[in-house]
Amino acid sequence: MDKKTKNIAWIIAIAMIIAVLYTESSCQSGLSKNHFDNNDTHTLDGSFTDKYWVLTDFKAEPGIDWDIDGEIETDILAKLDPCDKDDAIIFRNDNKIYRHLGSDKCDEEEEVEKENGTWKYMPSTKELTMTDDQQKARVYVVAATNANTLVLHHYLDGSDGRHLLTATYKIK
C-alpha cells in the first residue's frame, strides 16, 4: 500500500471512530438507530480522553472491497499494513487529536506523535465529531466504552450501498 493509500485508510479509521461517537441520531436511513441498541451497548462509564487507544478490530458490514482488489472483505484490520497496526490515537482534554505512530514506522522520517485534528463529544447522543487537519468533520457513535475498550460505529456510503464500519480500540 502506498503512502497516500495508507493516509486515506488511517483517516477513514479515525473518521469511523468519530462517526461511531456522533452519528447515532444523525444517521437514520439504511440501518436504524435501534441497530445500535443491544445488550452489548452500554453508557459511557468513564472518560476516553488522555488515553492511548490502539485499533484491535475493524469490521465492515456488509463487506466492502477495501483495497480495491476485486475481493470483498469484512475484516478490514487484516488489510492494514503492519506498520499501521501499532499506531495509537489519543483524544486530549484540550479537544485535540494526536496520532502516535508506534515503534513500527511506515516511513523512518515520520514524527513519533503528531496532531491530527480536533474532537467534540456529545454525551446525550453518544456522538463524537472528529475534524481532521484538512477541516473535514466526521461523526461517529460511541457504541460501547469502558476503562479498557472503545467501540465506534460509522457509516460509509459506497457505490454498492451503505456499510456499517465498527472499530474496536483497546488501551495501549
Side-chain angles (χ1 to χ4, degrees):
M1 205 181 283
D2 65 16
K3 188 172 182 175
K4 181 178 179 183
T5 304
K6 288 178 190 177
N7 286 338
I8 291 170
W10 181 251
I11 289 168
I12 290 172
I14 289 173
M16 206 182 102
I17 293 171
I18 294 171
V20 170
L21 294 172
Y22 193 72
T23 59
E24 185 173 65
S25 65
S26 62
C27 286
Q28 299 272 329
S29 62
L31 297 173
S32 71
K33 181 178 178 180
N34 291 334
H35 181 80
F36 300 113
D37 297 334
N38 60 45
N39 293 334
D40 296 329
T41 307
H42 53 279
T43 60
L44 192 64
D45 61 6
S47 175
F48 58 85
T49 61
D50 287 329
K51 298 176 183 180
Y52 285 95
W53 297 99
V54 176
L55 186 65
T56 59
D57 193 35
F58 189 17
K59 302 284 188 201
E61 177 189 318
I64 189 170
D65 186 3
W66 185 261
D67 55 1
I68 313 168
D69 66 354
E71 295 182 29
I72 302 298
E73 293 97 14
T74 57
D75 182 4
I76 306 306
L77 185 64
K79 303 307 286 184
L80 298 181
D81 284 336
C83 62
D84 291 322
K85 290 181 181 179
D86 70 342
D87 291 0
I89 187 171
I90 184 169
F91 300 95
R92 296 272 168 90
N93 277 330
D94 63 0
N95 294 92
K96 292 183 180 174
I97 301 168
Y98 285 82
R99 179 177 171 198
H100 187 278
L101 299 178
S103 58
D104 188 6
K105 292 193 176 60
C106 299
D107 180 358
E108 291 302 319
E109 296 176 18
E110 289 179 316
E111 300 173 41
V112 173
E113 188 168 281
K114 65 181 181 176
E115 187 175 339
N116 209 34
T118 60
W119 66 274
K120 179 175 81 170
Y121 180 63
M122 299 296 294
S124 62
T125 59
K126 299 181 187 177
E127 295 175 340
L128 173 66
T129 301
M130 290 190 260
T131 304
D132 63 22
D133 50 4
Q134 283 96 36
Q135 300 303 307
K136 182 168 183 173
R138 291 190 175 90
V139 178
Y140 299 84
V141 173
V142 177
T145 186
N146 61 39
N148 300 312
T149 305
L150 176 64
V151 179
L152 301 175
H153 287 165
H154 178 70
Y155 287 103
L156 179 63
D157 291 317
S159 61
D160 59 344
R162 177 169 269 198
H163 303 270
L164 174 63
L165 302 178
T166 301
T168 302
Y169 291 81
K170 300 283 183 182
I171 293 291
K172 181 175 180 178

